[in-house]
Amino acid sequence: MIFDTTWLDIAARGILLAAAAILWVVVLVRINGLRSLSKMTNFDFVMTVALGSLVAGAAQASDWKAFAQAMVAMAGLFLVQFLAARIRKSSDRAEDAMQNDPVFLMRNGEFCDAALKNTRVAKSDLIAKLREANVLDYGQVRAVVLETTGDVSVLHGDHLDETLIENVKRV
């Protein structure tokens, strides 16, 4: 692709194609905005994973056609994400179809056993998240929410503003 000597060609392709792919991602993020890699929704999370896979594919391309296809696919991902975000913003139905609801795993110091079962979250994993959030007493926990991205939010303290949890699903 670049050099006639095999080992030199492999090294050059690995370095140059990876650099070009990363620069292309930077250009696309600058055009589309930082939200592109925000992981605020499950769609964003899939975008981030797919983008990483395409960068790896571009870096490993054995011909220019494969490299160009990976670069075009990256631009396609950004375009699809942009369109999906616009559609979600303009339509509640579309947002409901594209997005999972956040779910309570714990509320007011009590485990939500049905939600743990439905979401397949082990109680031991939830307890680890409580430790990570420096919870010292279950009674301090106002809510633990499994977010749409798969992240776990632990809300603890003396008071909870109910607007923070108004869209959280009770199972």
Side-chain angles (χ1 to χ4, degrees):
M1 238 174 100
I2 298 172
F3 294 107
D4 292 331
T5 308
T6 303
W7 68 269
L8 191 57
D9 187 59
I10 291 170
R13 276 190 291 138
I15 294 167
L16 296 175
L17 297 182
I22 293 294
L23 288 173
W24 181 235
V25 169
V26 169
V27 168
L28 293 171
V29 169
R30 294 283 295 158
I31 291 169
N32 204 39
L34 285 176
R35 191 203 179 289
S36 303
L37 303 176
S38 68
K39 296 187 287 182
M40 290 196 304
T41 67
N42 52 3
F43 194 88
D44 297 333
F45 174 73
V46 171
M47 160 78 176
T48 302
V49 172
L51 188 60
S53 180
L54 286 169
V55 168
Q60 297 172 350
S62 56
D63 60 38
W64 291 112
K65 181 180 173 186
F67 177 73
Q69 185 176 4
M71 300 294 266
V72 170
M74 286 181 228
L77 277 178
F78 278 88
L79 177 63
V80 169
Q81 185 191 41
F82 174 81
L83 294 173
R86 294 288 291 252
I87 291 167
R88 277 186 47 242
K89 190 174 178 182
S90 66
S91 167
D92 290 339
R93 272 195 175 149
E95 183 166 7
D96 290 344
M98 292 178 168
Q99 178 109 344
N100 294 325
D101 291 323
V103 177
F104 283 115
L105 299 178
M106 205 172 170
R107 187 74 170 106
N108 294 324
E110 301 289 324
F111 289 96
C112 302
D113 293 320
L116 290 170
K117 183 179 178 181
N118 285 353
T119 59
R120 297 179 310 282
V121 173
K123 194 179 263 188
S124 60
D125 292 337
L126 178 54
I127 291 170
K129 287 293 184 182
L130 294 173
R131 287 192 304 266
E132 193 176 286
N134 297 318
V135 171
L136 302 175
D137 178 10
Y138 289 156
Q140 295 175 332
V141 177
R142 300 293 148 246
V144 177
V145 179
L146 180 62
E147 302 290 355
T148 61
T149 59
D151 292 330
V152 174
S153 297
V154 178
L155 307 171
H156 59 94
D158 295 330
H159 174 71
L160 175 64
D161 186 335
E162 291 295 316
T163 59
L164 290 171
I165 56 169
E166 65 186 12
N167 294 324
V168 180
K169 183 176 163 185
R170 300 173 197 271
V171 176

